[in-house]
Amino acid sequence: MPDDLQPGVLDQITWDVAVVGGGNAALCAAITAREAGAHVVLLEASPRSFRGGNSRHTRNLRAMHDRPDGVLVEAYGEDEYWDDLLRVTGGQTDEHMARMTIRASAGAPAWMAARGVAFQPSLSGTLSLGRTNAFFLGGGKALVNAYFATAERLGVQILYDTEVTAVALNAGLVRELTLVSRGFPVTLRARAVVVASGGFQANTSWMRESWGEAADNFIIRGTPFAKGTVLRDLLAQDVAQVGDPTQCHAVAIDARAPKYDGGIVTRLDCVPFSIVVDCHGQRFYDEGEDVWPKRYAIWGRLVAQRPDQIAYAIIDAKADPLFMPSVFPAIRAGTIRELAEKLGLDPATLEATVAGFNAAVVPGSFDGARLDGCQTEGLEPPKTHWARTIDTPPFSGYPLRPGITFTYLGVKVSEQAQVLMNDGRPVANLWASGEIMAGNILGRGYLAGFGMTIGTVFGRIAGEQAARYARN
């Protein structure tokens, strides 16, 4: 923190726009507001070395395009994009707001590139997304580093180690923010405020309110700073709530991952080519229901609903080369019985589950790159694609836990990203972007790269609107 912005000085400044958060959505808002001429301060709860929120761990953004555009190949139109979103959410979305986001995504890659973000072609494997998603060269850390560099060059004031603990609302206006900045209490004033401080997934006690003791077995694969402090404070002040507190972006990650901040490398992509059993050695869901980009984000929730919140993916040697290797080594064995013993499962039960699965597999033409129709017959639950017998040693197992990326409970906003009260009135000088408002569009399920799309689109809208309000 510069000497002229020590806590005693901060109390004396009135900023045009204060942005709460330090991830993609916050940075898009801060950069946009600053480019519009506003005097902007960005309040990042983490220290500089951990800046960037969950965006540090992302890889790509889903963008509509009518023709090949940069690293995006072929075309991905509005109706196909909307249909993909409709299917993963099961209709729990807002079509008007979703289509507005989809249309705005077409301009996102060019806007990002102009602010230092570099792109690369899609990776191959189970998340082959070259037609729908633009990948960031260097991943999420490179993305946020580029944005922070742009923000600093433009003159955005960035305060690290600065947690907003309260937003003072009165008569439809934000009056001030209460902070703890580098350990010192501060009261900060701004003409307009953008909250982009994420969900509450890193707040275990809040997660327990919805999930009970099961929440203790969840792994938070993103930032440990997303504790929902601002979200809970706003909801307690009659701000309208959107979303279900039990819904979240939850993937199946390796159970050996750290409790927080393990990132995207902890995810296991072997599920479509495996059978997945619970701690009793029983299958519980169709592992081949759809292509992995449209299903990977349901498996965390599925595991969360199993006993002890743990499951195991079982494959044989034929499946080994079909997915991106895990950072954790596979647990291998020469027989299913030996593998069960190493995983702590009942050997007889796992042998029976595998034998029953193998007997139900209908011979077909396997193709791991598309829905191939290789399926089981007479088995419950079925496996509808990529079903092959598990019979070729060595056999491998991976333990799975629910890996929570972000929760969907949030604040209700208008299409202009303005925060709404329970009576429908907007808070005159408060906007929201990113995961704290994603529940307006994501009622359940997830579409790969769509969280970054929401953050980018609504971050830019929020920054533009906040700057306009402050400058007028």
Side-chain angles (χ1 to χ4, degrees), residues 336-352:
I336 292 296
R337 172 168 286 273
E338 182 188 357
L339 181 64
E341 291 170 348
K342 288 185 174 182
L343 295 174
L345 298 171
D346 180 72
T349 302
L350 185 61
E351 283 183 325

Side-chain angles (χ1 to χ4, degrees), residues 3 11 29-30 35 45 70 107 152 178-179 183 189 204 216 238 241 277 283 294 312 328 332 358 398 425-426 436 449:
D3 290 340
D11 288 338
E35 288 177 339
E152 289 169 354
T178 301
L179 332 172
R189 294 175 182 81
T204 303
D216 294 344
D238 210 28
Q241 170 180 315
V277 301
R283 290 179 64 244
K294 297 176 184 176
Y312 303 87
F328 299 96
R332 298 192 192 278
N358 288 346
Y398 294 92
R425 291 181 298 115
I436 196 171

Side-chain angles (χ1 to χ4, degrees), residues 27 75 101 130 143 155 188 243 285 293 321 326:
L27 288 159
T101 306
L143 169 99
L188 186 140
Y285 200 80
S326 168

